[in-house]
Amino acid sequence: MKILILHGPNLNLLGTRETDIYGKLSLVDINLNLEEYAKNNNFEIKFIQSNIEGELVNALQEAQSWATGVVFNPAGYTHTSVALRDAITAIEIPVIEVHLSNVYGREEFRQKSLLSGQCAGKITGFGWRSYLYGLMEIIELRTKQP
Ligand code: DQA
């Protein structure tokens, strides 16, 4: 079974971008950690990062044909994107929204997500482990009884 880890805009800069908020791990480091966890649980993962909203929409639409679920950090588009909300609504696989920082402890505009209501759930504030917990939950959803 395969899972998509989808990273939104500016997350390619992790490791150097606002490290006090987002931590010192690069995107490559985070992906390696997630890959190890997935492998140990007999899942395959694919990573996509894009700074372009339409490419994220395409990735979500295409994931429906090959992925069992998506762990998605929509980054800045969380707070603005009707197109991503519609894509998440349109596909039938579970999408878990994740954020490195605790968006509820930050500026007011970050506390609003256009996407959360269409996602299976949301994890925010645990640094790179927000992705890990999202991945764990997709695996749980797909392998265990509710
Ligand atoms: C983020 C939070 C967003 O508000 C911000 O725009 C990001 C990163 C996070 O992972 O904490 O780029 O999604």
Side-chain angles (χ1 to χ4, degrees):
M1 285 197 276
K2 295 183 185 160
I3 296 170
L4 172 63
I5 310 286
L6 188 57
H7 304 282
N10 299 306
L11 296 172
N12 54 313
L13 301 180
L14 287 178
T16 55
R17 171 194 182 204
E18 297 175 274
T19 52
D20 50 323
I21 297 174
Y22 298 120
K24 290 193 177 144
L25 288 191
S26 69
L27 198 62
V28 172
D29 294 331
I30 292 174
N31 287 347
L32 281 172
N33 288 348
L34 298 175
E35 192 152 45
E36 191 184 334
Y37 184 87
K39 240 187 222 162
N40 290 339
N41 286 278
N42 302 314
F43 273 76
E44 258 180 68
I45 43 182
K46 178 174 168 181
F47 304 99
I48 297 176
Q49 189 277 327
S50 179
N51 294 325
I52 300 168
E53 189 176 11
E55 287 185 359
L56 296 167
V57 170
N58 286 343
L60 287 166
Q61 289 185 10
E62 284 159 20
Q64 184 155 238
S65 66
W66 63 267
T68 185
V70 184
V71 178
F72 185 22
N73 185 346
Y77 291 135
T78 307
H79 319 295
T80 62
S81 180
V82 174
L84 286 172
R85 179 189 172 93
D86 289 346
I88 292 167
T89 309
I91 63 175
E92 276 166 15
I93 52 175
V95 177
I96 298 189
E97 179 184 336
V98 302
H99 300 281
L100 296 142
S101 64
N102 179 1
V103 288
Y104 297 110
R106 302 185 63 194
E107 301 97 320
E108 208 176 321
F109 70 86
R110 292 188 204 277
Q111 298 177 27
K112 182 174 146 213
S113 168
L114 296 192
L115 313 183
S116 300
Q118 306 307 309
C119 291
K122 169 174 182 161
I123 299 163
T124 184
F126 301 104
W128 78 270
R129 292 193 310 281
S130 292
Y131 285 95
L132 178 65
Y133 302 146
L135 176 60
M136 289 166 85
E137 186 52 33
I138 293 281
I139 291 173
E140 288 287 318
L141 282 173
R142 289 315 200 189
T143 53
K144 309 251 170 32
Q145 294 302 315

